[in-house]
Amino acid sequence: MLWLKAFHIVFVVAWFAGLFYLPRLFVYHAAATDAPGLERFITMERRLFGIMTLGAALAAVFGMSMILAAPEYLAAGWLRVKLVLVAVLLGYHIWCYRLMVALRSGNNSHSQRWYRLFNEVPTVLLMAIVVLAVVKPW
Ligand code: HEM
């Protein structure tokens, strides 16, 4: 179980590295106008999205393995609330994908300031999920 938890945390960190950095790339991408700069952002975003998706998938695999190994987890209130927040995080991940595709095809409809605010969302979710998983208030 401790091995599963250790790797769960490793892949959660990998996922969050992407969730923090990808919208930051969007901030700079939205301001870029030169062709080589735009191409570079498109490549960086595509690679980062691939890595963070792998991190998300493996974090979920290890998290679900812990639940399979000890199904009584599902009775805990903190885990249920945590899973709802993980679903919100997954929605954010998919939203990032859609924004990446829009930027790539020149159809960006958001300002740099909007991307900066959008970039704050994973911070709030990270704090809430880690407090739930560690403090286990219910
Ligand atoms: C499908 C998604 C996920 C599932 C099924 C899942 C499930 C679990 C389970 C069963 C544990 C063991 C709890 C314990 O024994 O204390 C755990 C631990 C943990 N999870 Fe997740 N988790 C998921 C996603 C996440 C995410 C997205 C984060 C961070 C934002 C996260 C952060 C943590 C942390 C920090 C621990 C260690 C808690 C401790 O040992 O005190 N998990 N997770």
Side-chain angles (χ1 to χ4, degrees):
M1 184 61 87
L2 287 178
W3 283 94
L4 294 176
K5 202 191 283 190
F7 282 99
H8 176 60
I9 294 170
V10 166
F11 291 113
V12 162
V13 171
W15 185 11
F16 268 86
L19 288 173
F20 286 139
Y21 193 49
L22 187 63
R24 186 78 352 214
L25 286 176
F26 293 165
V27 172
Y28 304 129
H29 190 160
T33 48
D34 61 308
L38 289 169
E39 273 312 309
R40 197 172 306 127
F41 282 121
I42 289 169
T43 308
M44 288 168 80
E45 287 162 6
R46 194 186 60 235
R47 290 191 182 150
L48 184 60
F49 187 81
I51 293 167
M52 69 192 247
T53 302
L54 191 65
L58 291 172
V61 165
F62 282 99
M64 286 186 291
S65 306
M66 284 188 278
I67 295 175
L68 282 176
E72 56 274 19
Y73 272 125
L74 284 175
W78 66 268
L79 185 81
R80 292 176 180 203
V81 179
K82 174 178 156 170
L83 290 181
V84 171
L85 294 182
V86 171
V88 174
L89 201 60
L90 201 63
Y92 182 87
H93 189 108
I94 294 166
W95 197 357
C96 281
Y97 176 76
R98 297 173 68 108
L99 291 169
M100 178 178 74
V101 170
L103 277 159
R104 185 190 296 169
S105 51
N107 291 325
N108 174 36
S109 53
H110 301 291
S111 66
Q112 274 190 291
R113 189 177 142 67
W114 188 89
Y115 286 114
R116 281 183 205 279
L117 288 174
F118 181 74
N119 201 183
E120 300 304 327
V121 175
T123 312
V124 179
L125 287 168
L126 176 65
M127 285 195 283
I129 296 173
V130 170
V131 167
L132 282 170
V134 175
V135 180
K136 302 183 177 46
W138 311 284

PDB file of all heavy atoms in Angstrom, residues 106-126:
ATOM      1  N   GLY A 106      -4.988  29.355 -34.240  1.00  0.00           N
ATOM      2  CA  GLY A 106      -5.147  30.809 -34.402  1.00  0.00           C
ATOM      3  C   GLY A 106      -6.514  31.316 -33.994  1.00  0.00           C
ATOM      4  O   GLY A 106      -6.914  32.411 -34.387  1.00  0.00           O
ATOM      5  N   ASN A 107      -7.270  30.525 -33.220  1.00  0.00           N
ATOM      6  CA  ASN A 107      -8.616  30.931 -32.816  1.00  0.00           C
ATOM      7  C   ASN A 107      -8.694  31.315 -31.338  1.00  0.00           C
ATOM      8  O   ASN A 107      -9.713  31.092 -30.690  1.00  0.00           O
ATOM      9  CB  ASN A 107      -9.619  29.788 -33.068  1.00  0.00           C
ATOM     10  CG  ASN A 107      -9.816  29.560 -34.543  1.00  0.00           C
ATOM     11  OD1 ASN A 107      -9.795  30.499 -35.329  1.00  0.00           O
ATOM     12  ND2 ASN A 107      -9.956  28.299 -34.932  1.00  0.00           N
ATOM     13  N   ASN A 108      -7.626  31.899 -30.819  1.00  0.00           N
ATOM     14  CA  ASN A 108      -7.633  32.281 -29.412  1.00  0.00           C
ATOM     15  C   ASN A 108      -8.637  33.416 -29.172  1.00  0.00           C
ATOM     16  O   ASN A 108      -8.665  34.394 -29.897  1.00  0.00           O
ATOM     17  CB  ASN A 108      -6.231  32.757 -29.013  1.00  0.00           C
ATOM     18  CG  ASN A 108      -6.214  33.308 -27.617  1.00  0.00           C
ATOM     19  OD1 ASN A 108      -6.907  32.809 -26.742  1.00  0.00           O
ATOM     20  ND2 ASN A 108      -5.434  34.346 -27.410  1.00  0.00           N
ATOM     21  N   SER A 109      -9.482  33.256 -28.116  1.00  0.00           N
ATOM     22  CA  SER A 109     -10.457  34.321 -27.848  1.00  0.00           C
ATOM     23  C   SER A 109     -10.277  34.891 -26.439  1.00  0.00           C
ATOM     24  O   SER A 109     -11.187  35.526 -25.920  1.00  0.00           O
ATOM     25  CB  SER A 109     -11.877  33.767 -28.039  1.00  0.00           C
ATOM     26  OG  SER A 109     -12.033  32.597 -27.259  1.00  0.00           O
ATOM     27  N   HIS A 110      -9.105  34.627 -25.800  1.00  0.00           N
ATOM     28  CA  HIS A 110      -8.897  35.117 -24.432  1.00  0.00           C
ATOM     29  C   HIS A 110      -7.660  36.001 -24.336  1.00  0.00           C
ATOM     30  O   HIS A 110      -6.706  35.832 -25.093  1.00  0.00           O
ATOM     31  CB  HIS A 110      -8.753  33.935 -23.471  1.00  0.00           C
ATOM     32  CG  HIS A 110      -9.932  33.029 -23.454  1.00  0.00           C
ATOM     33  ND1 HIS A 110     -11.154  33.412 -22.943  1.00  0.00           N
ATOM     34  CD2 HIS A 110     -10.098  31.764 -23.909  1.00  0.00           C
ATOM     35  CE1 HIS A 110     -12.006  32.417 -23.076  1.00  0.00           C
ATOM     36  NE2 HIS A 110     -11.400  31.398 -23.670  1.00  0.00           N
ATOM     37  N   SER A 111      -7.709  36.925 -23.347  1.00  0.00           N
ATOM     38  CA  SER A 111      -6.587  37.840 -23.139  1.00  0.00           C
ATOM     39  C   SER A 111      -5.522  37.178 -22.261  1.00  0.00           C
ATOM     40  O   SER A 111      -5.783  36.155 -21.616  1.00  0.00           O
ATOM     41  CB  SER A 111      -7.085  39.103 -22.446  1.00  0.00           C
ATOM     42  OG  SER A 111      -7.532  38.750 -21.142  1.00  0.00           O
ATOM     43  N   GLN A 112      -4.354  37.816 -22.199  1.00  0.00           N
ATOM     44  CA  GLN A 112      -3.288  37.319 -21.317  1.00  0.00           C
ATOM     45  C   GLN A 112      -3.762  37.321 -19.872  1.00  0.00           C
ATOM     46  O   GLN A 112      -3.472  36.397 -19.112  1.00  0.00           O
ATOM     47  CB  GLN A 112      -2.074  38.240 -21.427  1.00  0.00           C
ATOM     48  CG  GLN A 112      -1.154  37.885 -22.567  1.00  0.00           C
ATOM     49  CD  GLN A 112       0.119  38.683 -22.444  1.00  0.00           C
ATOM     50  OE1 GLN A 112       0.108  39.896 -22.635  1.00  0.00           O
ATOM     51  NE2 GLN A 112       1.210  38.031 -22.129  1.00  0.00           N
ATOM     52  N   ARG A 113      -4.496  38.390 -19.496  1.00  0.00           N
ATOM     53  CA  ARG A 113      -4.982  38.491 -18.115  1.00  0.00           C
ATOM     54  C   ARG A 113      -5.916  37.327 -17.791  1.00  0.00           C
ATOM     55  O   ARG A 113      -5.880  36.755 -16.709  1.00  0.00           O
ATOM     56  CB  ARG A 113      -5.715  39.835 -17.948  1.00  0.00           C
ATOM     57  CG  ARG A 113      -6.068  40.149 -16.538  1.00  0.00           C
ATOM     58  CD  ARG A 113      -6.725  41.522 -16.399  1.00  0.00           C
ATOM     59  NE  ARG A 113      -7.780  41.480 -15.391  1.00  0.00           N
ATOM     60  CZ  ARG A 113      -7.561  41.295 -14.094  1.00  0.00           C
ATOM     61  NH1 ARG A 113      -6.339  41.132 -13.639  1.00  0.00           N
ATOM     62  NH2 ARG A 113      -8.568  41.254 -13.255  1.00  0.00           N
ATOM     63  N   TRP A 114      -6.745  36.952 -18.760  1.00  0.00           N
ATOM     64  CA  TRP A 114      -7.672  35.824 -18.547  1.00  0.00           C
ATOM     65  C   TRP A 114      -6.881  34.542 -18.278  1.00  0.00           C
ATOM     66  O   TRP A 114      -7.200  33.781 -17.364  1.00  0.00           O
ATOM     67  CB  TRP A 114      -8.564  35.657 -19.784  1.00  0.00           C
ATOM     68  CG  TRP A 114      -9.665  34.661 -19.579  1.00  0.00           C
ATOM     69  CD1 TRP A 114     -10.921  34.916 -19.089  1.00  0.00           C
ATOM     70  CD2 TRP A 114      -9.604  33.236 -19.813  1.00  0.00           C
ATOM     71  NE1 TRP A 114     -11.640  33.740 -19.016  1.00  0.00           N
ATOM     72  CE2 TRP A 114     -10.865  32.694 -19.445  1.00  0.00           C
ATOM     73  CE3 TRP A 114      -8.618  32.378 -20.298  1.00  0.00           C
ATOM     74  CZ2 TRP A 114     -11.164  31.335 -19.562  1.00  0.00           C
ATOM     75  CZ3 TRP A 114      -8.901  31.020 -20.402  1.00  0.00           C
ATOM     76  CH2 TRP A 114     -10.168  30.505 -20.033  1.00  0.00           C
ATOM     77  N   TYR A 115      -5.803  34.321 -19.069  1.00  0.00           N
ATOM     78  CA  TYR A 115      -4.992  33.108 -18.858  1.00  0.00           C
ATOM     79  C   TYR A 115      -4.305  33.137 -17.500  1.00  0.00           C
ATOM     80  O   TYR A 115      -4.136  32.103 -16.857  1.00  0.00           O
ATOM     81  CB  TYR A 115      -3.965  32.932 -19.971  1.00  0.00           C
ATOM     82  CG  TYR A 115      -4.576  32.462 -21.278  1.00  0.00           C
ATOM     83  CD1 TYR A 115      -4.575  33.265 -22.409  1.00  0.00           C
ATOM     84  CD2 TYR A 115      -5.167  31.202 -21.361  1.00  0.00           C
ATOM     85  CE1 TYR A 115      -5.160  32.833 -23.592  1.00  0.00           C
ATOM     86  CE2 TYR A 115      -5.754  30.759 -22.529  1.00  0.00           C
ATOM     87  CZ  TYR A 115      -5.742  31.581 -23.647  1.00  0.00           C
ATOM     88  OH  TYR A 115      -6.321  31.149 -24.811  1.00  0.00           O
ATOM     89  N   ARG A 116      -3.922  34.334 -17.037  1.00  0.00           N
ATOM     90  CA  ARG A 116      -3.288  34.426 -15.706  1.00  0.00           C
ATOM     91  C   ARG A 116      -4.268  34.002 -14.622  1.00  0.00           C
ATOM     92  O   ARG A 116      -3.907  33.294 -13.686  1.00  0.00           O
ATOM     93  CB  ARG A 116      -2.816  35.863 -15.449  1.00  0.00           C
ATOM     94  CG  ARG A 116      -1.525  36.199 -16.139  1.00  0.00           C
ATOM     95  CD  ARG A 116      -1.072  37.616 -15.792  1.00  0.00           C
ATOM     96  NE  ARG A 116      -0.217  38.130 -16.853  1.00  0.00           N
ATOM     97  CZ  ARG A 116       1.068  37.839 -16.980  1.00  0.00           C
ATOM     98  NH1 ARG A 116       1.642  37.061 -16.091  1.00  0.00           N
ATOM     99  NH2 ARG A 116       1.766  38.323 -17.979  1.00  0.00           N
ATOM    100  N   LEU A 117      -5.518  34.447 -14.745  1.00  0.00           N
ATOM    101  CA  LEU A 117      -6.531  34.063 -13.748  1.00  0.00           C
ATOM    102  C   LEU A 117      -6.825  32.559 -13.848  1.00  0.00           C
ATOM    103  O   LEU A 117      -6.921  31.859 -12.838  1.00  0.00           O
ATOM    104  CB  LEU A 117      -7.826  34.864 -13.959  1.00  0.00           C
ATOM    105  CG  LEU A 117      -7.738  36.342 -13.565  1.00  0.00           C
ATOM    106  CD1 LEU A 117      -9.022  37.073 -13.951  1.00  0.00           C
ATOM    107  CD2 LEU A 117      -7.502  36.480 -12.059  1.00  0.00           C
ATOM    108  N   PHE A 118      -6.941  32.081 -15.096  1.00  0.00           N
ATOM    109  CA  PHE A 118      -7.198  30.657 -15.352  1.00  0.00           C
ATOM    110  C   PHE A 118      -6.102  29.808 -14.702  1.00  0.00           C
ATOM    111  O   PHE A 118      -6.352  28.722 -14.173  1.00  0.00           O
ATOM    112  CB  PHE A 118      -7.228  30.468 -16.873  1.00  0.00           C
ATOM    113  CG  PHE A 118      -7.502  29.064 -17.327  1.00  0.00           C
ATOM    114  CD1 PHE A 118      -8.777  28.518 -17.226  1.00  0.00           C
ATOM    115  CD2 PHE A 118      -6.492  28.283 -17.883  1.00  0.00           C
ATOM    116  CE1 PHE A 118      -9.030  27.222 -17.661  1.00  0.00           C
ATOM    117  CE2 PHE A 118      -6.740  26.986 -18.321  1.00  0.00           C
ATOM    118  CZ  PHE A 118      -8.012  26.466 -18.204  1.00  0.00           C
ATOM    119  N   ASN A 119      -4.880  30.326 -14.697  1.00  0.00           N
ATOM    120  CA  ASN A 119      -3.705  29.650 -14.145  1.00  0.00           C
ATOM    121  C   ASN A 119      -3.795  29.442 -12.624  1.00  0.00           C
ATOM    122  O   ASN A 119      -3.084  28.620 -12.065  1.00  0.00           O
ATOM    123  CB  ASN A 119      -2.466  30.507 -14.498  1.00  0.00           C
ATOM    124  CG  ASN A 119      -1.162  29.736 -14.444  1.00  0.00           C
ATOM    125  OD1 ASN A 119      -0.104  30.289 -14.652  1.00  0.00           O
ATOM    126  ND2 ASN A 119      -1.215  28.448 -14.170  1.00  0.00           N
ATOM    127  N   GLU A 120      -4.668  30.217 -11.956  1.00  0.00           N
ATOM    128  CA  GLU A 120      -4.782  30.109 -10.488  1.00  0.00           C
ATOM    129  C   GLU A 120      -5.671  28.936 -10.058  1.00  0.00           C
ATOM    130  O   GLU A 120      -5.600  28.494  -8.915  1.00  0.00           O
ATOM    131  CB  GLU A 120      -5.352  31.407  -9.884  1.00  0.00           C
ATOM    132  CG  GLU A 120      -4.526  32.655 -10.146  1.00  0.00           C
ATOM    133  CD  GLU A 120      -3.090  32.513  -9.673  1.00  0.00           C
ATOM    134  OE1 GLU A 120      -2.859  31.821  -8.665  1.00  0.00           O
ATOM    135  OE2 GLU A 120      -2.202  33.081 -10.343  1.00  0.00           O
ATOM    136  N   VAL A 121      -6.522  28.456 -10.976  1.00  0.00           N
ATOM    137  CA  VAL A 121      -7.493  27.415 -10.610  1.00  0.00           C
ATOM    138  C   VAL A 121      -6.832  26.152 -10.015  1.00  0.00           C
ATOM    139  O   VAL A 121      -7.248  25.686  -8.950  1.00  0.00           O
ATOM    140  CB  VAL A 121      -8.404  27.075 -11.822  1.00  0.00           C
ATOM    141  CG1 VAL A 121      -9.336  25.920 -11.503  1.00  0.00           C
ATOM    142  CG2 VAL A 121      -9.189  28.304 -12.254  1.00  0.00           C
ATOM    143  N   PRO A 122      -5.768  25.596 -10.669  1.00  0.00           N
ATOM    144  CA  PRO A 122      -5.188  24.367 -10.095  1.00  0.00           C
ATOM    145  C   PRO A 122      -4.594  24.568  -8.705  1.00  0.00           C
ATOM    146  O   PRO A 122      -4.562  23.625  -7.914  1.00  0.00           O
ATOM    147  CB  PRO A 122      -4.112  23.948 -11.103  1.00  0.00           C
ATOM    148  CG  PRO A 122      -3.978  25.037 -12.074  1.00  0.00           C
ATOM    149  CD  PRO A 122      -5.163  25.917 -11.989  1.00  0.00           C
ATOM    150  N   THR A 123      -4.142  25.785  -8.375  1.00  0.00           N
ATOM    151  CA  THR A 123      -3.576  26.039  -7.040  1.00  0.00           C
ATOM    152  C   THR A 123      -4.638  25.809  -5.973  1.00  0.00           C
ATOM    153  O   THR A 123      -4.400  25.151  -4.954  1.00  0.00           O
ATOM    154  CB  THR A 123      -3.083  27.505  -6.944  1.00  0.00           C
ATOM    155  OG1 THR A 123      -2.307  27.793  -8.089  1.00  0.00           O
ATOM    156  CG2 THR A 123      -2.277  27.742  -5.695  1.00  0.00           C
ATOM    157  N   VAL A 124      -5.826  26.366  -6.225  1.00  0.00           N
ATOM    158  CA  VAL A 124      -6.930  26.240  -5.260  1.00  0.00           C
ATOM    159  C   VAL A 124      -7.321  24.765  -5.106  1.00  0.00           C
ATOM    160  O   VAL A 124      -7.493  24.254  -3.989  1.00  0.00           O
ATOM    161  CB  VAL A 124      -8.147  27.071  -5.752  1.00  0.00           C
ATOM    162  CG1 VAL A 124      -9.314  26.931  -4.795  1.00  0.00           C
ATOM    163  CG2 VAL A 124      -7.757  28.532  -5.918  1.00  0.00           C
ATOM    164  N   LEU A 125      -7.415  24.060  -6.252  1.00  0.00           N
ATOM    165  CA  LEU A 125      -7.808  22.645  -6.206  1.00  0.00           C
ATOM    166  C   LEU A 125      -6.744  21.812  -5.505  1.00  0.00           C
ATOM    167  O   LEU A 125      -7.057  20.916  -4.722  1.00  0.00           O
ATOM    168  CB  LEU A 125      -8.057  22.124  -7.627  1.00  0.00           C
ATOM    169  CG  LEU A 125      -9.356  22.630  -8.264  1.00  0.00           C
ATOM    170  CD1 LEU A 125      -9.387  22.311  -9.747  1.00  0.00           C
ATOM    171  CD2 LEU A 125     -10.571  22.024  -7.581  1.00  0.00           C
ATOM    172  N   LEU A 126      -5.470  22.124  -5.757  1.00  0.00           N
ATOM    173  CA  LEU A 126      -4.381  21.376  -5.109  1.00  0.00           C
ATOM    174  C   LEU A 126      -4.484  21.516  -3.584  1.00  0.00           C
ATOM    175  O   LEU A 126      -4.403  20.523  -2.855  1.00  0.00           O
ATOM    176  CB  LEU A 126      -3.025  21.897  -5.599  1.00  0.00           C
ATOM    177  CG  LEU A 126      -1.802  21.267  -4.924  1.00  0.00           C
ATOM    178  CD1 LEU A 126      -1.680  19.785  -5.248  1.00  0.00           C
ATOM    179  CD2 LEU A 126      -0.515  21.976  -5.342  1.00  0.00           C
TER     180      LEU A 126
END
